[in-house]
Amino acid sequence: MTQTHCPYCSLQCGMTLARSGRTLQVQPWPEFPVNEGALCRKGWTATGLRGHRERLTTPLVRDRATGELRAAGWDEALDLVAQRLIALREQHGPDAVGVFGGGGLTNEKAYSLGKLARVALGTSQIDYNGRWCMSSAASAGNRAFGVDRGLPFPLADIEQTDVVVLVGSNLAETMPPAARHLDRLRERGGTVVVVDPRRTPTAERADLFLQPVPGTDLALALGLLHLVDAIGAVDEEYVAARTNGFEQVRRSVAAWWPERVERVTGVATDELRALARLLAGSDGRRPRAMVLTARGAEQHSQGSDTVLAWINLALALGLPGRPFAGYGCLTGQGNGQGGREHGQKADQLPGYRMIDDPAARDHVAAVWGVPAASLPGPGRSAYEMLDALGTDGGPRALLVFASNIAVSAPNATHVADRLAALDLLVVADLVMSETAALADVVLPVTQWAEETGTMTNLEGRVILRERAVAPPEGVRDELEVIADLAARVGSPVPFSADPAEVFAELGRASAGGPADYAGIDYERIRAEHGVFWPCPAPLDGRSHPGTPRLFADTFPTPDGRARCHVVEHRGAAEQPCPEFPVHLTTGRVLAQYQSGAQTRRVRDLPDEGVFVELHPMLATRVGAYDGEPLTVTTRRGTLTAPARVVDWIRPDTVFVPFHWVGANRLTNDALDPASRMPEFKVCAASVAPLAAGRRRSPETVGAAR
Ligand code: SF4
């Protein structure tokens, strides 16, 4: 029996893996507090890739004569990679090599990957797919609070608040065990508010549901702050004592009167006022409230400003740092939090230190045993790096770990063209993902049950993924692959492949940084069901307790105050027009995770395939019929998939899940100027039936929920 964690989302549910003969069974781990034994269907079926016929167990090298991938030994594959990387580096300079990581990598792997890039390869060109997941909230959190930890409180605090406002989160489908906190809150008499262009299963649990036009959450937040101020609900004492910049923000929202907000967002003034009254409280009692954003609010070209607008509202209400109240972001990927703290981001060193900070460079270089001057500066963000592949001055080789960019990148057809322009594409994966299929070299690596390492869940709780079974013969842990590759390209320092050793080194590298892990070790994680960062090294022989809740007395900014920011609603980069008259938004479904490379192969998970969801009114207008092929077109591409005619989506919007090839051929690569997050959540589209089908009334059909 091994107590470990689910391989998928950021809830990182605890589970027990029990061996029974040759099989490995998922069983509950009721004592782990985050999920109390509950799992979603992805968790229960997580062993479905073990022994899967599509599991990669030998390195593959593309044969120059035939153009096909053929089996190779590890030495042959790694020698080939190292020789070509060295040659490209000599010919074009160190930035000719790019590294692309993933938010599913353990902290140890993310740390080693950053070190591989900066120390062994000497390249500045490293970023990861978390740039597409969390970066807008991260950017806003850093600017407002001086730190980026998704939730500054344990998730279970939701149950003790009075009002929770979920902006662009469908947690009932993306992380179902978390939805019990909403149910318990309501049982206590609390109120759940959901803001989403679709009436999702999460919205079905809401007491108040607001359905804005995609890309207008920022205007909604401005309008709410206007109303909160107008009804005298600003916590003036808190604002004066704990924030900077509020008066400028107050002036900036003066023109966002409710009727203007309704015109921009489509949310009725009554609903807007109802939410403002909920947040303001009554009878002189100021309610505890939480504002939680997720991808729906963040994956926009104005995503970081949108988050800042909601943070402004939370600060005006005096919420951050108050018990059972505040602002938080619900992280998506399994290690979306830890993966962005330890050096695989383009601008960052371990411990959430910035790579252009001289003191940070000195500290980390000393831990690594190299001169600080040898470390490169900041590189390109994820999409910008992909966009530059194979161009003059761009990377000519790309190493991809734990990411299926052929499916998950925006404007995916363009990205496929850029990947094809590379001199060398190396992909480490468990299965032949769509990206691995394009590679020159494919390296078969371990999956979660076969490895040990830490993850940091959405609460900032560092937890331990324990190895339960040996990997299949021929498969290697990414830590081994990174260490071996570092040696073959002539790293000036050795790399460890032992996870506990790497974690101890990560702790030293993070010491004194915002995300300080120096006081955490594996034994402590086992004993305490995880440890919240920051957790500095023991002082005077006493262990630091870890930090479940942030901001009680101060914010980690130079003056200890949170910073309010004036932000303006700009709208989506693409607005509907006669040629592309509707909004396209993308998202997730219950049975699939991210690009689907793993979950689409699990036999016990339904693989329903890509579909296009639209409202009966829109279906009538365009002549679409439930279940029949519908073509969605944007300025970047076309997708044809079965229509699902449903009444829970706005009539001006269509929805496509992104777990299958196709959705991201449509999405817009417009980037947020601060976070460099692409605008996955909205672009302009047209819809038309592929061919005239059987005549049925759109109003009488539709998927039942
Ligand atoms: Fe828990 Fe997320 Fe895994 Fe589901 S996918 S079991 S919610 S960690």
Side-chain angles (χ1 to χ4, degrees), residues 352-373:
Y352 224 127
R353 290 181 152 95
M354 301 316 289
I355 201 165
D356 54 4
D357 172 1
R361 294 170 66 86
D362 286 345
H363 174 87
V364 175
V367 172
W368 285 347
V370 299

Side-chain angles (χ1 to χ4, degrees), residues 598-678:
Q598 296 174 75
T599 47
R600 279 187 273 127
R601 290 176 165 86
V602 174
R603 200 187 52 207
D604 293 332
L605 288 174
D607 183 353
E608 52 200 335
V610 68
F611 58 88
V612 183
E613 194 177 279
L614 77 169
H615 193 274
M617 283 163 59
L618 180 59
T620 301
R621 206 169 79 218
V622 301
Y625 292 87
D626 192 68
E628 294 182 357
L630 188 67
T631 297
V632 183
T633 305
T634 71
R635 289 181 174 87
R636 291 152 294 281
T638 290
L639 164 79
T640 300
R644 282 198 188 174
V645 182
V646 300
D647 65 1
W648 56 71
I649 189 167
R650 289 182 57 89
D652 57 4
T653 301
V654 296
F655 167 82
V656 178
F658 74 86
H659 310 290
W660 295 269
V661 174
N664 277 318
R665 289 181 186 152
L666 307 174
T667 50
N668 193 353
D669 54 10
L671 301 182
D672 180 286
S675 67
R676 320 310 286 167
M677 165 77 87

Side-chain angles (χ1 to χ4, degrees), residues 449-530:
E450 300 158 359
E451 62 191 23
T452 294
T454 60
M455 309 282 277
T456 305
N457 82 346
L458 76 173
E459 310 165 287
R461 184 195 303 253
V462 185
I463 48 107
L464 186 60
R465 172 186 281 188
E466 305 256 23
R467 174 169 155 155
V469 288
E473 200 175 332
V475 168
R476 289 193 185 174
D477 187 306
E478 279 118 322
L479 282 180
E480 291 173 49
V481 176
I482 292 168
D484 198 336
L485 204 51
R488 286 174 203 246
V489 297
S491 170
V493 294
F495 281 53
S496 174
D498 177 81
E501 277 180 24
V502 176
F503 189 72
E505 185 183 306
L506 179 161
R508 293 194 296 280
S510 74
D516 190 336
Y517 283 37
I520 307 175
D521 60 43
Y522 285 7
E523 279 314 311
R524 198 171 157 190
I525 296 173
R526 287 187 185 107
E528 299 178 23
H529 290 154

Side-chain angles (χ1 to χ4, degrees), residues 555-620:
F555 294 96
T557 56
D559 62 3
R561 289 163 168 261
R563 297 171 286 221
C564 301
H565 292 262
V566 173
V567 289
E568 289 297 337
H569 172 72
R570 300 186 297 277
E574 275 184 7
Q575 296 293 332
C577 61
E579 191 181 356
F580 301 106
V582 300
H583 302 281
L584 165 69
T585 190
T586 61
R588 295 156 173 79
V589 298
L590 176 62
Q592 299 295 328
Y593 176 68
Q594 298 297 96
S595 78
Q598 296 174 75
T599 47
R600 279 187 273 127
R601 290 176 165 86
V602 174
R603 200 187 52 207
D604 293 332
L605 288 174
D607 183 353
E608 52 200 335
V610 68
F611 58 88
V612 183
E613 194 177 279
L614 77 169
H615 193 274
M617 283 163 59
L618 180 59
T620 301

Side-chain angles (χ1 to χ4, degrees), residues 5-15 35 38-44 46 171 173-178 332 334 590 592-593:
H5 298 270
C6 173
Y8 302 120
C9 86
S10 66
L11 204 56
Q12 283 299 292
C13 293
M15 60 170 58
N35 58 310
L39 298 168
C40 76
R41 67 167 81 165
K42 295 191 286 287
W44 288 119
L171 59 73
E173 271 196 289
T174 54
M175 48 180 74
L590 176 62
Q592 299 295 328
Y593 176 68

Side-chain angles (χ1 to χ4, degrees), residues 70-156:
R70 62 165 175 81
W74 273 99
D75 281 337
E76 181 192 355
L78 291 178
D79 276 345
L80 175 79
V81 172
Q83 284 162 13
R84 293 186 70 184
L85 293 181
I86 290 168
L88 285 167
R89 195 168 59 181
E90 284 172 359
Q91 203 180 344
H92 301 283
D95 280 358
V97 179
V99 179
F100 201 99
L105 292 172
T106 61
N107 290 318
E108 292 80 351
K109 293 178 188 178
Y111 168 82
S112 290
L113 202 60
K115 184 174 164 185
L116 173 76
R118 273 67 178 244
V119 174
L121 297 167
T123 180
S124 69
Q125 300 298 295
I126 175 167
D127 212 50
Y128 81 126
N129 63 17
R131 177 75 63 181
W132 302 338
C133 183
M134 283 295 306
S135 59
S136 289
S139 159
N142 279 321
R143 288 163 71 192
F145 302 130
V147 70
D148 157 34
R149 199 181 91 183
L151 290 182
F153 40 70
L155 189 68

Side-chain angles (χ1 to χ4, degrees), residues 241-263:
R242 301 208 55 188
T243 72
N244 284 327
F246 183 71
E247 286 310 316
Q248 294 93 312
V249 169
R250 173 177 259 158
R251 282 195 293 277
S252 73
V253 300
W256 282 95
W257 55 91
E259 292 73 17
R260 180 182 174 198
V261 177
E262 179 179 309
R263 247 191 345 266

